[in-house]
């Protein structure tokens, strides 16, 4: 994969910003699975592997988020950023606005030379 880390970080920040700014009532609503993937990859990319205490069993939302992050194991921060970018590129096609489609094409062009992140 030929992107320098600085390019990965820039794309990651842009992807995070786009996802965080999605309108609550907008045309694209990420599924629960997509939201968990974005959440866990964001946490892994910004904090590294999950070393936090497991939430109480009755806190279902916190436990589900914790489990999703924990499943990423020892994935590096850079790998998590790259996976987040890849996930965003797929979501950007669903968001289907001028900015997201432009970014999806840009990301796909950068990812094209590789088979996997």
């Amino acid at each position: 994969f030929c992107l320098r880390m600085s390019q990965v970080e820039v794309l990651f920040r842009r992807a995070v910003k786009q996802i965080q700014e999605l309108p609550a009532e907008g045309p694209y609503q990420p599924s629960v699975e997509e939201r968990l993937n974005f959440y866990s990859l964001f946490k892994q990319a910004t904090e590294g592997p999950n070393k936090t205490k497991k939430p109480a069993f009755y806190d279902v939302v916190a436990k589900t988020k914790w489990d999703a992050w924990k499943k990423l194991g020892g994935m590096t921060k850079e790998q998590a950023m790259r996976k987040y970018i890849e996930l965003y590129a797929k979501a950007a096609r669903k968001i289907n606005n001028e900015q997201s489609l432009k970014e999806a094409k840009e990301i796909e062009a950068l990812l094209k030379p590789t088979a996997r992140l």
Side-chain angles (χ1 to χ4, degrees):
F1 197 66
C2 62
L3 290 179
R4 292 188 324 268
M5 186 60 176
S6 62
Q7 289 174 302
V8 172
E9 288 173 335
V10 168
L11 287 173
F12 173 71
R13 287 189 193 119
R14 282 174 39 198
V16 168
K17 184 177 187 295
Q18 288 294 318
I19 293 300
Q20 289 177 341
E21 291 179 354
L22 283 174
E25 301 299 321
Y28 171 68
Q29 296 296 311
S31 68
V32 172
E33 182 180 345
E34 286 173 312
R35 287 193 302 247
L36 275 175
N37 285 332
F38 280 122
Y39 171 83
S40 61
L41 289 167
F42 175 82
K43 294 294 273 186
Q44 191 83 3
T46 58
E47 297 181 32
N50 184 351
K51 295 180 178 159
T52 63
K53 185 179 175 190
K54 189 173 188 172
F57 74 92
Y58 52 82
D59 191 347
V60 178
V61 173
K63 186 179 175 311
T64 302
K65 291 166 93 175
W66 187 91
D67 286 339
W69 180 17
K70 190 72 172 176
K71 283 180 188 174
L72 298 179
M75 179 186 287
T76 68
K77 288 182 176 185
E78 183 178 356
Q79 288 171 321
M81 284 183 201
R82 290 171 188 262
K83 293 231 180 257
Y84 191 103
I85 292 164
E86 186 178 68
L87 184 62
Y88 170 69
K90 290 176 185 172
R93 293 256 174 232
K94 296 176 190 174
I95 295 168
N96 199 26
N97 67 33
E98 189 176 330
Q99 179 69 27
S100 68
L101 291 174
K102 179 184 171 200
E103 289 190 351
K105 287 178 185 174
E106 186 178 324
I107 290 167
E108 288 163 358
L110 290 168
L111 296 176
K112 200 172 201 169
T114 63
R116 293 185 63 181
L117 287 178

